[in-house]
Amino acid sequence: MPRSVNHVASRAKRKRILKLTRGYFGARKNVWTVAKNTWEKGLTYAYRDRRNKKRTFRALWIQRINAAARLEGLSYSQLMGKLHKAGIEINRKVLADLAMNNAEAFKAIVDKVK
């Protein structure tokens, strides 16, 4: 009796991954092994960069807070230390947003901790 191979399922799997690699450059979009390897590597990058994104945004918020704090005569570390000592619990994301989009509110917070 001949060997039974489920060509329908294996072809569907290949089509699914080739559909996911549409728009890639060169053989990465239409050669099965290259496309599969590229797609798998992309999943690895996606996993890694979901974590790196958090680091990058935190660094951006700190830079924005520091720039706004220096306009008020404080450094970033001095401002954060005084906020902590005053018991004001406001996260860096919100503080950076205030520094960028609502300067008078940020100034009011700085004046409160000075």
Side-chain angles (χ1 to χ4, degrees), residues 65 69 74-92 94-96 98 105-114:
I65 294 166
L74 292 171
S75 69
Y76 168 78
S77 62
Q78 290 169 339
L79 174 65
M80 295 311 282
K82 290 180 185 224
L83 280 171
H84 182 71
K85 192 179 272 187
I88 299 173
E89 290 187 16
I90 184 167
N91 65 19
R92 286 165 182 81
V94 173
L95 206 54
L98 287 175
F106 184 81
K107 184 170 174 36
I109 292 171
V110 173
D111 290 339
K112 186 158 178 115
V113 298
K114 271 190 177 176

Side-chain angles (χ1 to χ4, degrees), residues 1-46:
M1 188 171 176
R3 189 167 70 102
S4 176
V5 181
N6 192 350
H7 283 293
V8 175
S10 56
R11 181 68 188 149
K13 182 181 176 186
R14 282 194 293 272
K15 276 182 72 173
R16 180 176 56 87
I17 291 177
L18 286 171
K19 186 178 177 187
L20 290 170
T21 59
R22 257 187 357 202
Y24 286 13
F25 181 80
R28 292 170 165 241
K29 69 174 163 279
N30 55 12
V31 176
W32 163 243
T33 50
V34 179
K36 181 174 67 73
N37 291 339
T38 305
W39 174 73
E40 287 174 349
K41 184 92 170 207
L43 293 179
T44 308
Y45 287 141

Side-chain angles (χ1 to χ4, degrees), residues 39-53:
W39 174 73
E40 287 174 349
K41 184 92 170 207
L43 293 179
T44 308
Y45 287 141
Y47 178 84
R48 180 197 71 188
D49 291 337
R50 279 194 297 274
R51 279 130 194 92
N52 286 356
K53 183 179 173 185

